[in-house]
Amino acid sequence: MTIGQQDHDATVRVLLVDDQPIIVEAVRRMLAGQPDIEFHYVTDASKAHATALQLRPTVILQDLVVPGTDGFQVIRGYREDEALRDVPVIVLSSKEEPKLKAHGFATGANDYLVKLPDQLELLARLRYHSAGYVSRLQRDEAFLRLRESQEELERANVELRRLAALDGLTGIANRRRFDEVLDGEWMRARRAKKPISLMMCDVDHFKLYNDSLGHQAGDLCLKKVAAVLTGQLKRPADLAARYGGEEFVIVLPDTTLDGALQVAHACRAQLEQLALEHPGAKSGIVTMSVGVASMAPAAHNRPEELVALADKALYAAKEGGRNRVVAGESD
């Protein structure tokens, strides 16, 4: 039951559990006229727990002598319920015995008053315990919001890092991501004493393509080339990236030169089979030239050597007539 007008702005919500109407009325009078206090009570202790769950008091006044049970058992019930575990409980007892007080605190009570207490003391203790409880709730809520904000920020950072590693036009890895992956795979290959291969691909006569069909068509062409390259990759560790302009690269960890050449020929053939119109090319379709290189890194080698070797092979492919694959050879 509730006595008096409920104040939704109250910061102190009191639940009195006492079977004696005279005590209920006395406490009600003590709290009357206090705008920051909202007073509730139950005279049936068996309903105390359910009432507390419904009202969510910020402090409970608990009588120890209640029909059908005892106040200590009711307090244990509060403490065993996660929803009520931290709600401060002030014991109201007709006896001022040290053993009762000690047992009350051991059971989970926060304070002990002999009824009926002085009004000023009762008000002070109610406000003190309620304020502490509300502060803990606010602190926990603030920590929860902070944790959620941090998790949201981390998700945003992950997405930003992902976007920062992608080429804005084709959606595959960009030059920065390629450099990071090549360095990492190079070190891994050196430790494992395994080969690493690199393909450098160039769309043949791409400037003429743009001049003939326009930049929008050129952008679409690059997207289709990127799709062809990624479509030939079968392992998670393989990486296709846009190297710059119409140039693309593919990193193939733990792959021999023969294996890389197979991938290169498949990429070249797949693009040719698409038969994308290219008015500026003699063949009339979009093709690519590919340079392939492979190395088993040693301590004195650097990733730049593999790039230079693949680039040299790409130059040879273009000089040899384009739309072909050429393997690089070490000096």
Side-chain angles (χ1 to χ4, degrees), residues 12 31 34 36-37 90 111 113 118-131:
V12 182
L31 305 185
Q34 305 297 321
D36 63 323
I37 295 180
I90 301 176
D111 207 342
L113 288 174
D118 177 78
Q119 181 187 26
L120 291 179
E121 182 181 8
L122 177 61
L123 291 173
R125 297 201 186 199
L126 288 175
R127 287 176 174 136
Y128 170 77
H129 288 293
S130 177

Side-chain angles (χ1 to χ4, degrees), residues 42-274:
V42 290
T43 55
D44 185 349
S46 65
K47 298 179 180 179
H49 194 110
T51 303
L53 286 174
Q54 179 183 0
L55 294 175
R56 296 302 174 96
T58 60
V59 61
I60 297 174
L61 286 172
Q62 178 67 50
D63 185 19
L64 286 184
V65 181
V66 287
T69 181
D70 65 82
F72 297 121
Q73 187 61 39
V74 177
I75 294 172
R76 289 191 192 96
Y78 300 147
R79 295 303 175 240
E80 292 171 357
D81 190 326
E82 186 176 356
L84 302 174
R85 183 176 300 158
D86 298 320
V87 177
V89 176
I90 301 176
V91 168
L92 278 182
S93 175
S94 59
K95 300 178 181 180
E96 188 170 6
E97 296 182 8
K99 288 185 178 180
L100 282 177
K101 291 183 179 181
H103 188 49
F105 290 128
T107 303
N110 300 84
D111 207 342
Y112 191 101
L113 288 174
V114 177
K115 55 182 170 183
L116 283 167
D118 177 78
Q119 181 187 26
L120 291 179
E121 182 181 8
L122 177 61
L123 291 173
R125 297 201 186 199
L126 288 175
R127 287 176 174 136
Y128 170 77
H129 288 293
S130 177
Y133 175 63
V134 171
S135 294
R136 286 193 296 274
L137 290 180
Q138 292 172 341
R139 179 202 62 195
D140 293 344
E141 185 178 354
F143 282 151
L144 177 61
R145 287 198 300 266
L146 177 61
R147 185 163 58 250
E148 291 174 345
S149 296
Q150 290 173 334
E151 291 173 353
E152 184 177 349
L153 179 61
E154 179 57 29
R155 286 193 295 270
N157 286 336
V158 169
E159 180 64 12
L160 286 174
R161 287 194 293 269
R162 187 186 70 83
L163 293 175
L166 298 181
D167 174 60
L169 175 64
T170 63
I172 64 174
N174 58 19
R175 172 69 177 273
R176 176 182 176 183
R177 179 60 179 162
F178 161 71
D179 290 338
E180 293 174 350
V181 170
L182 180 60
D183 287 344
E185 293 297 343
W186 183 269
M187 297 299 294
R188 189 175 291 108
R190 191 170 73 181
R191 289 194 301 269
K193 297 181 180 180
K194 292 185 176 181
I196 178 172
S197 296
L198 180 68
M199 293 168 44
M200 296 199 73
C201 315
D202 185 89
V203 180
D204 295 327
H205 302 297
F206 187 70
K207 184 178 184 304
L208 290 176
Y209 187 93
N210 271 337
D211 291 343
S212 301
L213 300 178
H215 289 284
Q216 287 188 338
D219 289 348
L220 181 59
C221 175
L222 293 178
K223 291 178 182 179
K224 291 183 177 181
V225 171
V228 166
L229 298 180
T230 57
Q232 297 302 317
L233 303 184
K234 308 303 181 184
R235 304 175 305 174
D238 298 339
L239 177 80
R242 188 180 179 192
Y243 195 69
E246 68 273 21
E247 285 192 325
F248 296 84
V249 288
I250 293 181
V251 181
L252 298 169
D254 193 13
T255 303
T256 63
L257 180 60
D258 287 342
L261 285 171
Q262 291 180 22
V263 176
H265 283 296
C267 289
R268 188 210 61 78
Q270 180 63 32
L271 180 60
E272 188 177 49
Q273 290 173 13
L274 285 182

